[in-house]
Amino acid sequence: MQDNPLRRWLKSLAARKGGRTVLVKALSRRDRRRVLRHFLALDKDDRLLRFGSILADEGIVAYVDKLDFERDIVFGVYNPTFQVVGVGHLAFTSKEAHPDSIHYTDKEKVAEFGVSVSKSARGQGVGTRLFERAAVHCRNVDVDTLYMQCLSSNRTMMHIAKKAGMEIRREYGEADAHLHLPPPSPSSVLAEALEEQMAKIDYTFKANARGVLKFFRPKR
C-alpha cells in the first residue's frame, strides 16, 4: 500500500462517483437500529457473501445485538436520506486466531474486516472506501496485519483485495487475504481525523434534514 493516505483521501473526494462524495463515519450504539435495517435488507445471496452463510433474520438480529462498538470498530456510509448503505466491521483479535500471522507480525493483535453494501449504493466506491478507512485506522492504532475472509465467488471483495495489494490464499471455495500495513504516519493520522470530522458534519446535516422533513410531513 502506497504510504500516502492523505493524498489518496483527497483524491477520492475529487472523484465523486455518482456525483456524491463517499464519507465513512465510525458508528456508535445509537446507530445499531439502522445497521440492523441495512443487514435485514440484504437478500439471501448478499447474506451468503457477507456472512459466509444465508443467515435468517433471527441470526442477523443476534449478530447486530452482539456488536461491541467499544471493542471493535464499525464504519458506516449514510445516503442522502439518512439510511446506512454500507457497513464495515473491523474486529480486533489476538494473533493466535491466525496461526500464520507469526510470519507477518510481531504485534499482539491483528484485525479482521467484513463489509456489505446495499444494492442501491453499488458502483459508487462505497466498499473500497470502507476498506481504506479500516486499513488507515489499523495503522493508526499500531495494528499492522489486516485479514479479510470471504467466498472466492465474491468478486467485489476479491477486486478490493487485489486492488489493495493483499495476498490471497484460496481453499475449499473460500479466500483468506491479508495485508501488511506500514506504521502510522502524520499523513495517515491526519487523513483519518479529517474524514471523521467531515463525516460527522455530514451525519448531523442529514439527521437534521430528516428531522425537518418528518416535522412537516402531513399527519395521517
Side-chain angles (χ1 to χ4, degrees):
M1 175 178 284
Q2 187 179 4
D3 188 17
N4 220 326
L6 180 58
R7 180 180 298 177
R8 186 166 54 250
W9 177 67
L10 292 173
K11 185 177 179 180
S12 74
L13 289 183
R16 286 194 164 208
K17 292 190 177 183
R20 298 175 185 167
T21 300
V22 178
L23 294 172
V24 178
K25 181 184 180 297
L27 303 183
S28 64
R29 286 178 292 178
R30 68 178 179 178
D31 300 295
R32 194 186 301 271
R33 183 166 50 89
R34 290 188 173 86
V35 170
L36 176 60
R37 287 179 180 173
H38 165 76
F39 285 132
L40 289 176
L42 298 177
D43 62 27
K44 64 178 183 179
D45 292 331
D46 291 333
R47 294 184 187 191
L48 175 62
L49 293 177
R50 171 58 182 86
F51 300 106
S53 62
I54 303 175
L55 285 185
D57 289 355
E58 295 79 7
I60 288 179
V61 170
Y63 170 80
V64 175
D65 283 344
K66 291 179 181 178
L67 284 176
D68 189 330
F69 291 89
E70 281 71 43
R71 181 194 62 204
D72 299 337
I73 302 295
V74 182
F75 295 111
V77 173
Y78 275 86
N79 70 4
T81 58
F82 204 51
Q83 295 174 322
V84 173
V85 292
V87 174
H89 183 191
L90 186 62
F92 299 99
T93 183
S94 67
K95 61 183 178 182
E96 284 75 19
H98 293 274
D100 59 339
S101 65
I102 61 174
H103 303 298
Y104 312 124
T105 182
D106 57 3
K107 308 293 184 182
E108 291 302 315
K109 295 191 300 183
V110 297
E112 299 175 351
F113 182 69
V115 63
S116 58
V117 178
S118 302
K119 278 187 170 62
S120 62
R122 290 175 192 167
Q124 300 174 23
V126 173
T128 298
R129 289 291 303 114
L130 284 164
F131 177 83
E132 290 174 348
R133 177 68 190 276
V136 169
H137 183 78
C138 285
R139 291 184 57 179
N140 291 340
V141 296
D142 201 29
V143 171
D144 66 3
T145 304
L146 176 60
Y147 284 92
M148 192 165 66
Q149 291 181 315
C150 65
L151 298 177
S152 296
S153 58
N154 193 336
R155 290 181 294 178
T156 300
M157 291 293 283
M158 289 294 95
H159 174 73
I160 291 174
K162 291 176 181 177
K163 185 178 178 181
M166 301 185 84
E167 294 184 28
I168 302 172
R169 183 178 62 195
R170 293 179 173 86
E171 187 174 0
Y172 305 117
E174 294 187 354
D176 187 1
H178 81 270
L179 179 67
H180 188 74
L181 298 161
S185 68
S187 176
S188 69
V189 173
L190 184 56
E192 183 173 27
L194 285 175
E195 174 154 21
E196 182 62 20
Q197 190 60 39
M198 285 190 65
K200 284 181 177 178
I201 294 172
D202 180 70
Y203 178 96
T204 302
F205 175 81
K206 288 173 179 174
N208 290 339
R210 180 175 175 80
V212 170
L213 288 175
K214 288 178 67 176
F215 179 80
F216 287 103
R217 187 177 297 163
K219 301 293 189 298
R220 292 185 178 182

